[in-house]
Amino acid sequence: MTVYAPLVGMLWRTLETYGIDPRRVVDEHLYQPGDPYWHVRRIPYSAYEQMENKAAELIQDPLAGLRAGDLIHPSHLGALGHAWLASSNLLTAIQRAKRFSRMYHEVIRIFITENNDVVKVAYQLSQPSALPDLVADSQLASLLRMCRLNYGKSLVPAYVRMRRSPPDDPAPWHEYFGVTVQFHQTENCVALKKADALKTLTGSNPTLAALHDDVIKRNIAELDRSDTINRAVAAIIGQLPSGGVSEKSIARELNLTTRTLHRKLREQGIGFRSLLTNVRKEMVERYIRDSAYCITEISFLLGYTDTSAFSRAFKRWYGKSPSEFRQLN
């Protein structure tokens, strides 16, 4: 299990606010600000947890988790942080975080529950933590911080629940979250009013979000090289603009025989042609709504040799030509 190295930046900033030299806690071989390869580095979860524990020993402040969460920056999440900022609404951003959670933290599990009034976001760790209270404070505070970066400082949750015992003075928790935090609960969660979660955000940029999504998919494919579908999707995305994407060309990039790629995809319940179509459909849904791309450009980006072939495929998928679809949407 690993953690995305730039996430250590949140811990680094927290230590600095307490006047503690972060180098007393953070091994320079694991993380350094300004590292030109920050976007591809990962560290073992055990090492990350050791840094958290050591930082807590030096800080000795019950509010450290809240402070750490409030110091998170989108860059600490890499491409996911930037895709979050470009999301159309908070629900989309949260769904994106759930979908790609492995990219930044392989131990975290995110659960989203929707009803008529609220969207509840709960999290669990797949491994026990030595500092469950501090981690809960940090995780929920950072979630709300990221939501407020998109929505605005006025965002107030519908409710906040924590497994932990009430702190001696719960006032800072109530003040930070803006509601009376419920302690001694069965879960760690933040619930947003559904109207707030679905509000269109001023920073919405579907095209930019999609570009970062593609980067994340490639990162995940590299993270789990045994996941043939993720690896194949990353290779397809990379090869599409060059045209001529085939099972043979993707197999070659993955250092597999065509027969082995075919077998591995079938084991995961999908064939190569279906996978290629799924990738193209996901990409076209982003591009077709963006007037910056003409139909010919979209055709090229999806790997079609001519616009007519793309138009025929599009009509099979959506029952309308690309131009008709664009006019209606």
Side-chain angles (χ1 to χ4, degrees), residues 23 46 66 140 163 288:
R23 287 169 292 190
S46 58
L66 290 182
L140 297 188
R163 292 177 180 271
I288 198 68

mmCIF file of all heavy atoms in Angstrom, residues 23 46 66 140 163 288:
data_model
loop_
_atom_site.group_PDB
_atom_site.id
_atom_site.type_symbol
_atom_site.label_atom_id
_atom_site.label_comp_id
_atom_site.label_asym_id
_atom_site.label_seq_id
_atom_site.Cartn_x
_atom_site.Cartn_y
_atom_site.Cartn_z
ATOM 1 N N ARG A 23 12.080 18.782 8.251
ATOM 2 C CA ARG A 23 13.123 17.786 7.978
ATOM 3 C C ARG A 23 13.432 16.917 9.189
ATOM 4 O O ARG A 23 14.097 15.884 9.061
ATOM 5 C CB ARG A 23 14.386 18.492 7.478
ATOM 6 C CG ARG A 23 14.231 19.015 6.035
ATOM 7 C CD ARG A 23 15.338 19.937 5.626
ATOM 8 N NE ARG A 23 15.291 21.202 6.372
ATOM 9 C CZ ARG A 23 16.032 22.258 6.076
ATOM 10 N NH1 ARG A 23 16.867 22.210 5.063
ATOM 11 N NH2 ARG A 23 15.928 23.355 6.793
ATOM 12 N N SER A 46 3.256 2.687 5.305
ATOM 13 C CA SER A 46 3.891 2.537 6.623
ATOM 14 C C SER A 46 4.818 3.706 6.918
ATOM 15 O O SER A 46 4.871 4.205 8.047
ATOM 16 C CB SER A 46 4.661 1.216 6.692
ATOM 17 O OG SER A 46 5.646 1.153 5.665
ATOM 18 N N LEU A 66 -7.193 19.141 12.694
ATOM 19 C CA LEU A 66 -7.985 20.187 12.042
ATOM 20 C C LEU A 66 -7.087 21.149 11.284
ATOM 21 O O LEU A 66 -7.399 21.554 10.163
ATOM 22 C CB LEU A 66 -8.794 20.966 13.085
ATOM 23 C CG LEU A 66 -9.953 20.250 13.767
ATOM 24 C CD1 LEU A 66 -10.654 21.205 14.723
ATOM 25 C CD2 LEU A 66 -10.947 19.715 12.749
ATOM 26 N N LEU A 140 -11.641 14.658 7.493
ATOM 27 C CA LEU A 140 -12.902 15.381 7.331
ATOM 28 C C LEU A 140 -12.672 16.876 7.144
ATOM 29 O O LEU A 140 -13.378 17.531 6.371
ATOM 30 C CB LEU A 140 -13.819 15.119 8.527
ATOM 31 C CG LEU A 140 -14.265 13.665 8.713
ATOM 32 C CD1 LEU A 140 -15.326 13.576 9.808
ATOM 33 C CD2 LEU A 140 -14.803 13.067 7.422
ATOM 34 N N ARG A 163 -16.413 9.080 14.720
ATOM 35 C CA ARG A 163 -16.337 7.936 15.626
ATOM 36 C C ARG A 163 -15.686 8.315 16.961
ATOM 37 O O ARG A 163 -16.000 7.737 17.995
ATOM 38 C CB ARG A 163 -15.506 6.814 14.994
ATOM 39 C CG ARG A 163 -16.133 6.150 13.775
ATOM 40 C CD ARG A 163 -15.162 5.114 13.210
ATOM 41 N NE ARG A 163 -15.700 4.435 12.055
ATOM 42 C CZ ARG A 163 -16.434 3.327 12.115
ATOM 43 N NH1 ARG A 163 -16.717 2.788 13.287
ATOM 44 N NH2 ARG A 163 -16.886 2.766 11.017
ATOM 45 N N ILE A 288 -17.641 16.977 -27.334
ATOM 46 C CA ILE A 288 -18.746 17.421 -28.173
ATOM 47 C C ILE A 288 -19.472 18.623 -27.577
ATOM 48 O O ILE A 288 -20.076 19.422 -28.296
ATOM 49 C CB ILE A 288 -19.746 16.257 -28.415
ATOM 50 C CG1 ILE A 288 -20.634 16.547 -29.611
ATOM 51 C CG2 ILE A 288 -20.551 15.977 -27.160
ATOM 52 C CD1 ILE A 288 -19.911 16.543 -30.921
#
